[in-house]
Amino acid sequence: MLAGIAETDIILDRDTHTIILTRLLAAPREQVFEAWTRPEHVACWWDPSGEPLAECEIDLRPGGGFRFVNRHPPGMPPFAGVYREIAPPRHLVFEAMGAIGRVMLDETGSKTLLTVRIECGSAERFEQYLAMGIDTGTGKTLDNLAAHIGGIAQGTSRARSAAPGSGG
């Protein structure tokens, strides 16, 4: 954990069937947006275990898709979805696994307040997501993102010019 970076806060809103995660990141929002949308960065931090992704494909445009494949456990289905809104460097909206994901980046001085909203759409899907550990897994993923961004600032990031499975 890097000094000065807060923990991820997780709110479970049962009334709206929404999982809300917030975290203050020690980087400008343009850098956070790039880390969230470029395969060579996402491949380094997306897997909650901290392992690089086996595959990371991103077609960053409304209607474009993404597909992330974790290395472990073997046979785990990919996390895949479709982008609905993209407004660099402020927000992304996507659909995945029957839910709407909203990623919002707000400037707070030289830092960025990241808010991730996972709108499950129903009480049943919300409870299913909690049973799958989506809330805690996403929290770990955001820990990885914070460490990755810190590594970029210090020149120790694992990002490569082409991510696994990115075709580049």
Side-chain angles (χ1 to χ4, degrees):
M1 173 78 67
L2 297 171
I5 296 188
E7 296 293 322
T8 300
D9 290 324
I10 302 173
I11 298 170
L12 305 177
D13 186 340
R14 285 185 160 73
D15 292 336
T16 63
H17 322 300
T18 303
I19 301 167
I20 304 165
L21 301 99
T22 57
R23 181 157 189 148
L24 188 62
L25 299 167
R29 71 180 178 172
E30 291 81 7
Q31 185 178 19
V32 176
F33 188 86
E34 184 173 303
W36 195 283
T37 58
R38 305 241 348 233
E40 65 269 24
H41 290 291
V42 175
C44 295
W45 62 264
W46 186 268
D47 188 330
S49 74
E51 288 285 319
L53 292 175
E55 296 178 39
C56 184
E57 300 168 3
I58 295 176
D59 179 8
L60 189 64
R61 62 181 174 83
F66 59 87
R67 183 174 177 273
F68 307 153
V69 178
N70 294 357
R71 292 183 188 277
H72 302 286
M76 181 177 175
F79 179 70
V82 176
Y83 293 107
R84 294 296 174 215
E85 294 176 35
I86 302 166
R90 295 185 315 273
H91 75 269
L92 295 167
V93 178
F94 59 89
E95 292 181 39
M97 295 175 47
I100 301 292
R102 298 182 189 277
V103 178
M104 293 157 286
L105 305 171
D106 295 305
E107 289 180 316
T108 60
S110 63
K111 298 180 180 179
T112 300
L113 178 62
L114 167 67
T115 303
V116 176
R117 294 178 57 90
I118 303 169
E119 300 168 0
C120 300
S122 70
E124 295 78 20
R125 184 170 292 125
F126 178 80
E127 293 302 328
Q128 181 182 39
Y129 270 41
L130 295 181
M132 293 185 322
I134 298 293
D135 54 333
T136 56
T138 304
K140 289 177 184 175
T141 294
L142 297 184
D143 291 344
N144 296 344
L145 172 61
H148 177 71
I149 288 172
I152 292 170
Q154 296 175 2
T156 59
S157 166
R158 294 184 297 181
R160 297 174 301 281
S161 60
S166 68

